[in-house]
Amino acid sequence: MMLRDAVDADLPGILAIYNYAVLNSTAIWNDTPTDLSGRLGWLRDRQAKAYPVIVAEEAGEVLGYASFGDFRPFEGFRISVEHSVYVAEHAQGRGLGRRLVEALFEPARALGKKVMIGGITAGNEASLALHTKLGFVQSAYMPGIGTKFGQRLDLVFVQKEL
């Protein structure tokens, strides 16, 4: 298994992981799957900002991906980024999430970022534990601010000094 920068050919694998999470989990608070052109636009936006999209790939299959983007679109937040990491269901439990998040730290530092933020659905114990192991600390708990599958969701923000 190798980590590398994503290329256009990875988009079908990234799309499959993303849409699976949309349809089957509360990890992504969207109800509607996206399409290949939507993911291409996302990748181009990241590339234009020199923000990484890193894939975990094995035998030509994308097993997971991670990236970061602006935390908020205001100049005062320029030192912060919000990251995301997703691993295909059949590849979970192999440490890929940890390796993918760790791979984001140096690119963020190289861009002058000081804080990495993650927004995690409360109750996602695996993600919360992963981030704790990586040195993230909980900085906010926002009850009932979203909905998915007909239920109210709580959001936990975690952050790490880079």
Side-chain angles (χ1 to χ4, degrees), residues 90-105:
H90 69 277
Q92 292 176 4
R94 295 175 43 186
L96 299 181
R98 180 184 184 108
R99 290 186 59 198
L100 284 163
V101 174
E102 287 175 331
L104 296 175
F105 297 156

Side-chain angles (χ1 to χ4, degrees), residues 34-156:
T34 192
D35 58 18
L36 207 49
S37 66
R39 285 288 88 181
L40 179 60
W42 167 81
L43 180 62
R44 291 290 181 266
D45 179 66
R46 295 293 201 250
Q47 291 170 334
K49 295 175 180 173
Y51 289 167
V53 176
I54 300 169
V55 295
E57 179 254 324
E58 185 173 72
E61 179 186 7
V62 175
L63 300 177
Y65 69 95
S67 185
F68 60 73
D70 297 325
F71 173 62
R72 297 195 69 197
F74 306 106
E75 293 168 344
F77 293 100
R78 67 184 155 268
I79 64 168
S80 301
V81 289
E82 183 174 0
H83 77 288
S84 57
V85 58
Y86 300 100
V87 176
E89 185 180 35
H90 69 277
Q92 292 176 4
R94 295 175 43 186
L96 299 181
R98 180 184 184 108
R99 290 186 59 198
L100 284 163
V101 174
E102 287 175 331
L104 296 175
F105 297 156
E106 192 50 43
R109 288 183 188 109
L111 291 168
K113 304 305 179 181
K114 307 295 184 202
V115 181
M116 185 169 287
I117 299 164
I120 304 169
T121 305
N124 185 342
E125 297 303 327
S127 186
L128 290 168
L130 166 66
H131 285 83
T132 298
K133 288 177 188 170
L134 290 171
F136 286 79
V137 296
Q138 182 176 321
S139 54
Y141 187 96
M142 304 174 77
I145 67 163
T147 63
K148 188 154 183 193
F149 304 132
Q151 65 182 0
R152 296 274 300 267
L153 299 174
D154 300 346
L155 180 64
V156 177

